[in-house]
Amino acid sequence: MMKITINYKKLHLLLLFTGIILNAMAQEHKRVRQSINEDWKFFPNHIEQAYSENFNDSTWQAITLPHTWNKLDAIDEVKGYDRKVCWYRKTIYISKEKEKQHSYLFFEGVNQIAEVYVNGQYVGKHQGGYTQFNFEITSLIRYNHKNTIAIKVDNRHNADIPPLSADYTFWGGIYRDVYMVYTNDLHFDNSHYASTGVYITTPDVSKDKATIKIRSLITNESSTINKVNICYTINNKFGELVCTTNKKITVGKEIHKQIISENIEIKTPKLWSPLNPYLYTVTVQIKDAETSETWDEVIQPLGLRWFTFSAEKGFFINGEHIKLIGTNRHQDYLEIGNALPDEMHIRDVQLVKEMGGNFLRISHYPQDPTVLEMCDKLGILTSVEIPIVDKITESQAFSDNCFHMAKEMVYQNYNHPSVIIWAYMNEVLLRPPFKQDEQRHAIYVKNVTGLAQQIEDTLRKADPSRYTMIPNHGAFGRYKDARLTQIPMIVGWNLYQGWYGGKFADFDKYLDKHRAELPTKPMIVTEYGADVHARLHSFEPERFDYTVEYGNRYHEHYLKAIMERPFIAGAAIWNLADFYSASRGNARPTVNCKGIVGLDRELKDNYLLYKALLHQNPVVELGQKEWKIRGGTATETSDKCIQRVYVYANTKEVELFLNGQSMGIQPVKDYKACWNIPFVNGKNILEALSRVNGKSYSDKNIIDFKMIPAKLKSKSLPFTEVNILLGSKRYFEDKLLNIVWIPEQAYVQDSWGYIGGEPYRSKTKYGSFPCADMDIIGTDTDPIFQSQRVGLTAFKIDVPDGKYTLSLLWAELVSDIEHEELAYNLGDEKIQEAISQRVFNVKINDEIVEYQLNLTQQYGAEKAIIKKYELNVTNGKGIRIEFEPISGNTILNALRLYKAL
Ligand code: GCB
Ligand code: CA
């Protein structure tokens, strides 16, 4: 009798080995997706024949994607930026082994029209700068050969493509990743709005069980009929198998065959929420029914959650109430425009999370795929929108583009659990184009309403599982009359009371008006914010002074009003980061600085306020943390200068230390505690400390204080320099030059100051502002020149004898130079001031140094003029600068005095 012995160990090894081989073979068949960002050629204009295969591009600029051609010209001092046609070219070697496959060029985003050619042949065109698209190029490829890709990119204004106008720069270029994708004959459909071809819904989720349904679009491009298995596998966040099921089907030569899975059930599922963003993965595979080889595979995130918006009580996820608090976001960065690597998108979402936020309004357009990926992982709920901003074009082509973008947005982002809202039409009635003609205006509004309804229908049909929203500006009646508050499921309001116009309290009134007049409509404050230049400070902040402190007041008020009202489902700060807006003046021209972090992601104070409010763990953060170089005048009795300091915290009380000495304990009220601190000349170490349950929480800041003695001839504190902003209450810190500019003062004996005159104020239809905001040409430190004293007769500085360098700084702020009316700058409409021929003499210590100075005539208005004078001060006379008007009023914008010897 034969005895069969089985060596289990060997069998196991054999099985394992075959497994590996089968796997390796199967893997070979799956789709391959590889980036092709490297080694492109760029030509910054249109050029004939650039599409053709043999075109000589050897002189073109060598670039790497992502790329924009507006990186420099959109942020310089010259008005406007290039909106034009440019060309990109690249060669790519494709080997013979790809011959049996299908090849696609896949783009994550090109602004805003892309026309693609391969080997001289036209492939296709995509319109719209913010959505993904792809083209199959299989039939044009030559294998074992170089292939030429040429792309014509156009970012010119196009009346049929939204956005038509907006407060941000429309950077042109291939500014996101580009990929080659290779699939088999049998694959998930790439042609359905460039989505994955796999759509996951969770029609029924509770604590006990979740039902998952998967709809897949499959394409069979072979001529044979195939028996395949569609396999669905769900893994938990550790990669462990939760369940798997499959469906046997037969596919003939067909395109777009739709397969719907049976209901897949998970018992006692782990739910996804901002606090615990538990992610499962869904893998859908097309497998050969006989050999089990995998023909294609798609992996998608799965978050199990349910949510509702209530007009009365706000937002609920998995049955629990949470207030949505977060920010909006644009997709650019300091000096690199919108051509960001993935890591920068990822970091921005992390910033929202670290602040304690749970909401991101991805405005005003769909962004890089990494953004939603990150939101899924970190538990940030999102609203995504199509870029209809400010106005529409009443054309079928415009409407069709809107519908197409809406579908691209939905289908491309369908499976992200973080998405809860699809939005469209940002402030679409901001400046209706036919305001003068009542009848025509009525037709326009009717067309806007009609388009809104059609987009709404499109979105609801494409995705009935989410909410829809229209974000309006603060003109209640206008939107209500146009039914834009009725059509969407949620109304968004972009509110700026106390910034563009009105008072902080008007914000509260507006919120309550919504509650009273639209009692059944859920509401989100989709925008609110104030421009803050991180280098500007004031102890008497005022609207439109761009200081950190005014921004703090604004946010402190708004945040309280939002938190107090349960009917407000959520709020999104405008904006996470400062962003470029080419035609803006502002304290930092070409930049909208309403970010709570800077263009370089430096945290501003507002970020810290939110951090204190939103975190459960103890938070103690010194305010004005970015203000490293301070300055001011010492008191008469000491060589110290007292200035206010504050801390943002969520603890009960905070103790503050200056250079190791306690400055006392202060209670925390509304997340803030304040002290008056006697700064010393030079180094000041500030430390804030809270003790909670025996543990210490602290924050530290080191400040260089540039002290000006009370009496300039002081021996205990010798005079070194002073930098003064005339007509201003602002401090401006110039980190590059390591100096600080301080506010003016009226002349004080033995000290310094102006004599006569009054601060310049920029007049608008809604009151006047403390400074100008136009781009001052010839400087990067515009705020120094944007304020001035008008009609002063003298400026005196009672310095000791010695050698000095005195700089007088001017910029003419009143002129007939026209500035682009910014559509969004509601309340900022300037009133043209009478232009006077301003001519004056300047005398320093009785010597005429400027004879008949006429800034406009000699240099032009809005130009930074710095005149340096060398002075010898003798006989204890100090410095006396006199301004003698010849015609019009005298002016001075800033003054710097430096002791050379
Ligand atoms: C708005 C717009 C946004 C602007 C913002 C502002 O209402 O929706 O695009 O950037 O105001 O800062 O003016
Ligand atoms: Ca990317």
Side-chain angles (χ1 to χ4, degrees), residues 619-648:
V619 171
V620 177
E621 299 273 0
L622 273 162
Q624 297 161 327
K625 205 179 295 169
E626 75 302 331
W627 197 8
K628 305 283 184 194
I629 315 166
R630 284 190 182 231
T633 303
T635 60
E636 287 265 5
T637 51
S638 75
D639 285 336
K640 294 176 181 169
C641 175
I642 295 170
Q643 286 186 358
R644 206 150 174 78
V645 165
Y646 52 84
V647 166
Y648 283 119

Side-chain angles (χ1 to χ4, degrees), residues 108 176-177 179 342 345 368-370:
E108 282 186 350
R176 292 186 196 155
D177 298 319
Y179 294 88
D342 289 346
H345 298 294
D368 190 275
T370 48

